Amino acid sequence: MPDAPVITRFAPSPTGHLHIGGVRTALFCWAFARGHGGRFVLRIEDTDQKRSSEDAARGILEDLAWLGIGWDDGPELGGIGGDARGIGPYYQAQRLEIYQRFLDRMLETGLAYPAFETGDELAAMRAAAQGRKETFCYRRRADYDRGAALAEMRRREAAGEPFVVRFRMPGEPVRVADTVLGDIDFDEQHTDDFVLRKADGYPTYHFAVVIDDELMGVTHVLRGQEHLNNTPRHVALQHALTHEDGTPFRTPVYAHLPLIFNSDGSKMSKRDKDKAVRRVALADDSSKGVAADLVGRGEFDAWQADKTRQLPPEKLHALAVVFSLELPEIDVEDFRRSGYLPPVLCNYLALLGWNPGMKNADGTDLDRFDMAFLCEHFAIERIGKSNSKFDRDKLAAFNQSAIAAMAPGDFAGVLRAWCERYDAGLLTELGDRFGLGAAAIQPRVKTLSQCREPIAFALIADEAVVFDEQAVKKALHKGEPSGLAVLADFRDTLAGVDPFEPAPIEEAVKAFCEGRGLGMGKIAQPLRVAVTGGTVSPGLGDTLALVGKSGVLARIDRCLRECAG
RNA sequence: GGCCCCGUCGUCUAGCCAGGUCUAGGACACCAGGUUUUCAUCCUGGUAACACGGGUUCGAAUCCCGUCGGGGUCACCA
């Protein structure tokens, strides 16, 4: 079946924001389907009633859309998705009747059976096994009475009393053929009679995933290696299940992806953000007081007492601001807020556990590519086996060079969109100087969230400029003629520049230098100090134009007055 | 602990499947120079790795075994 259409799927559970590891999985699934002219399915695995939320599901859809990872079949979002193949719905909570149909047949044929232990009883069984230094593995008792169990199930159904349905695990070893890892044999002794239907009537992950993948025609399953140990369950289920007409289920091609970790080797977790805040907020009594006021006493106490408890994102961000702390980026939303470009994020993520294995013309390895390239060249065969650590410096370097390579107009558009979402204040502060500001920012930032720093001098009042002592000494007082003298000399020339824009300003500076036989630094640095307070700023033309003629002259005059001597 | 996976520069990796061309290549980070009106860029150069021990072989980063190390998983979560 060389020409069988490829169908991949990404199936997140909507229990929070989309995690960066999930993005890579989605990206690979998407690229593989695209590159093979297949389809990419997005399915929401919301079978955990307690933890799932519609908001989270929606957030995940938006995150994927922002990244440029569109799905062919799945929930609709602004023209993405839909049910063209008629295989929906794509929320598992809406597919309960489907699972029940298969379950009823399994119950009839003895492939599945009801079980009545309570949670406490199971816990006791586990404890007992542990006491014997054995791994607990649920198995149907040898003297299990199927007729009686079925009768008890019916009674409980009628009475509304809880029970679960388990899979009767066939007593044979399972071989998982993994495209990345190779063939892996699993002993049947370690695979238990796992639950198919929970007491609340919802299917477990194992059951739903096998049914849905088959019904949705999924041919290739790419997922994280944390699922490797689940795979024998899924394969066993596939071997056991048939459609109503007797057609057996198929086993998709599996490819288990290596995991992504933090740079310190710890697992990347949503809790990392709480961890970072905890470190400073709980450092001493005064910081605790500040944090408690901000969070609210009750919630703060609970959060302090329980290390696994998470604060809502807005409170975490508020605390981060108060303690001037940079929160680690974990979710897509975090990276978006920090100002990474979607294609860069995807490019970097794709390099974690995969690489195209190609060279550039200069002999270096090809590692910068766009989404189209990824689709064209992504191959399961080139997925690595070992876990990797997430390197923010490298991501930032990629982001910086991508920003620098953009057309100025494109960058201004991207920056404006980012500001509208995260820093509307900058838009109003800059007003019609926005284009000038963007030009000054573009070559100097790694991420969009750093946009204020290079132009901070232009965002303060003329009187608020603080002339740095060291800078004044070095640029204004030293040398002959002194910077101060050159500045005073140049002041009126500058006043005559019109229009007061980068190019004419630069020309005026150059002409002045040539006329006086001075090096550029002799005037550039005094100007910088006078206008920005320090010796570091964007190009002179940009710097001065950004402050504006009246501001520049006011700052120079004040500098001449206050720094004389 | 049981089961399972993995192990090349600090990090991501190429090379491994089809052993020699590997005095192990690239990227990020770091260090040193250079260009530039400062910064940021940009350019040049440098430091830095086949986990260890046994085999197999004329020859092993590449094949086999063991040790050690790292990770995953052992739910009515996914």
Side-chain angles (χ1 to χ4, degrees), chain A residues 278-329:
Chain A
R278 271 197 165 83
R279 219 176 350 246
V280 293
L282 305 181
D284 56 58
D285 288 341
S286 77
S287 65
K288 280 184 192 176
V290 172
D293 287 345
L294 208 152
V295 175
R297 192 80 238 180
E299 189 167 11
F300 176 81
D301 287 341
W303 179 72
Q304 184 178 8
D306 179 2
K307 278 199 188 63
T308 66
R309 200 182 167 95
Q310 291 171 249
L311 249 27
E314 36 325 327
K315 289 191 174 168
L316 281 177
H317 282 286
L319 284 172
V321 170
V322 170
F323 294 115
S324 56
L325 180 76
E326 288 217 22
L327 250 31
E329 298 108 343

Side-chain angles (χ1 to χ4, degrees), chain A residues 98-246:
Chain A
I98 297 174
Y99 309 124
Q100 190 59 47
R101 273 210 309 275
F102 281 95
L103 196 73
D104 286 341
R105 288 222 325 276
M106 293 175 79
L107 247 8
E108 275 168 38
T109 55
L111 241 32
Y113 64 92
F116 309 106
E117 289 85 358
T118 64
D120 287 345
E121 283 166 347
L122 287 171
M125 289 159 79
R126 262 183 215 106
Q130 198 166 21
R132 293 188 306 262
K133 290 197 195 300
E134 286 171 15
T135 305
F136 176 64
C137 183
Y138 188 98
R139 272 294 151 65
R140 196 174 66 157
R141 295 166 50 131
D143 61 354
Y144 186 85
D145 183 336
R146 178 153 176 262
L150 255 20
E152 171 66 5
M153 179 181 85
R154 301 232 165 74
R155 187 193 70 73
R156 291 200 183 208
E157 261 174 344
E161 290 172 29
F163 66 93
V164 302
V165 178
R166 287 179 182 270
F167 179 53
R168 185 178 173 185
M169 197 65 191
E172 52 197 42
V174 176
R175 167 166 292 184
V176 172
D178 188 279
T179 320
V180 173
L181 270 8
D183 288 351
I184 304 161
D185 291 315
F186 289 89
D187 206 323
E188 81 285 0
Q189 301 171 19
H190 304 286
T191 336
D192 60 354
D193 286 3
F194 57 93
V195 172
L196 297 173
R197 198 186 89 143
K198 302 184 269 189
D200 65 1
Y202 278 64
T204 56
Y205 161 71
H206 304 298
F207 190 44
V209 79
V210 168
I211 302 275
D212 287 343
D213 281 350
E214 172 70 18
L215 263 30
M216 294 177 179
V218 172
T219 58
H220 294 71
V221 171
L222 283 68
R223 57 172 27 164
Q225 250 174 46
E226 73 265 23
H227 287 293
L228 185 59
N229 290 302
N230 293 149
T231 312
R233 292 197 173 98
H234 303 169
V235 172
L237 223 34
Q238 286 150 4
H239 289 341
L241 282 166
T242 59
H243 291 268
E244 239 147 313
D245 66 3

Side-chain angles (χ1 to χ4, degrees), chain A residues 377-497:
Chain A
H377 296 281
F378 177 78
I380 295 178
E381 291 69 33
R382 290 199 64 84
I383 295 175
K385 298 179 178 186
S386 47
N387 299 335
S388 47
K389 291 174 183 170
F390 194 92
D391 181 358
R392 285 196 176 69
D393 285 340
K394 186 160 176 174
L395 205 215
F398 274 41
N399 206 54
Q400 178 172 34
S401 56
I403 284 176
M406 289 176 87
D410 292 346
F411 175 74
V414 164
L415 181 63
R416 183 179 289 280
W418 183 88
C419 285
E420 278 162 4
R421 195 175 166 97
Y422 299 108
D423 190 357
L426 184 61
L427 254 21
T428 49
E429 287 168 61
L430 241 26
D432 56 12
R433 298 179 298 166
F434 186 80
L436 268 178
I441 291 164
Q442 187 176 1
R444 299 183 163 71
V445 293
K446 294 181 193 291
T447 62
L448 301 179
S449 63
Q450 296 171 343
C451 63
R452 280 178 173 266
E453 199 188 311
I455 57 165
F457 62 88
L459 304 174
I460 57 174
D462 297 334
E463 314 78 56
V465 174
V466 177
F467 303 108
D468 176 76
E469 201 181 316
Q470 290 294 322
V472 168
K473 205 184 289 178
K474 188 175 174 196
L476 298 180
H477 293 162
K478 273 168 75 172
E480 184 56 42
S482 75
L484 229 35
V486 178
L487 195 58
D489 189 11
F490 184 58
R491 194 254 182 220
D492 291 337
T493 308
L494 200 52
V497 174

Side-chain angles (χ1 to χ4, degrees), chain A residues 247-399:
Chain A
T247 316
F249 273 39
R250 287 158 307 176
T251 295
V253 173
Y254 284 105
H256 286 96
L257 277 20
L259 270 18
I260 302 175
F261 293 96
N262 286 316
S263 49
D264 66 359
S266 64
K267 194 174 177 182
M268 254 188 159
S269 151
K270 299 165 206 271
R271 289 202 247 284
D272 288 354
K273 280 187 273 186
D274 287 78
K275 214 160 92 185
V277 174
R278 271 197 165 83
R279 219 176 350 246
V280 293
L282 305 181
D284 56 58
D285 288 341
S286 77
S287 65
K288 280 184 192 176
V290 172
D293 287 345
L294 208 152
V295 175
R297 192 80 238 180
E299 189 167 11
F300 176 81
D301 287 341
W303 179 72
Q304 184 178 8
D306 179 2
K307 278 199 188 63
T308 66
R309 200 182 167 95
Q310 291 171 249
L311 249 27
E314 36 325 327
K315 289 191 174 168
L316 281 177
H317 282 286
L319 284 172
V321 170
V322 170
F323 294 115
S324 56
L325 180 76
E326 288 217 22
L327 250 31
E329 298 108 343
I330 303 293
D331 302 318
V332 172
E333 172 61 23
D334 300 331
F335 288 94
R336 186 172 182 180
R337 179 192 307 278
S338 289
Y340 291 95
L341 274 21
V344 174
L345 206 45
C346 289
N347 181 177
Y348 176 72
L349 244 18
L351 252 14
L352 260 26
W354 179 82
N355 77 81
M358 296 167 74
K359 298 264 186 216
N360 293 305
D362 65 0
T364 56
D365 291 353
L366 193 160
D367 60 0
R368 315 282 178 121
F369 46 79
D370 60 16
M371 299 291 262
F373 177 93
L374 181 64
C375 289
E376 188 182 343
H377 296 281
F378 177 78
I380 295 178
E381 291 69 33
R382 290 199 64 84
I383 295 175
K385 298 179 178 186
S386 47
N387 299 335
S388 47
K389 291 174 183 170
F390 194 92
D391 181 358
R392 285 196 176 69
D393 285 340
K394 186 160 176 174
L395 205 215
F398 274 41
N399 206 54

Side-chain angles (χ1 to χ4, degrees), chain A residues 30-70:
Chain A
W30 171 83
F32 185 68
R34 281 279 178 286
H36 289 79
R39 299 184 79 81
F40 174 54
V41 178
L42 180 63
R43 184 175 68 226
I44 305 296
E45 310 223 320
D46 53 352
T47 55
D48 184 340
Q49 291 190 79
K50 288 184 284 294
R51 297 199 303 157
S52 298
S53 81
E54 176 57 38
D55 277 356
R58 171 122 199 134
I60 290 171
L61 302 186
E62 283 170 359
D63 287 339
L64 287 172
W66 176 71
L67 287 162
I69 301 173

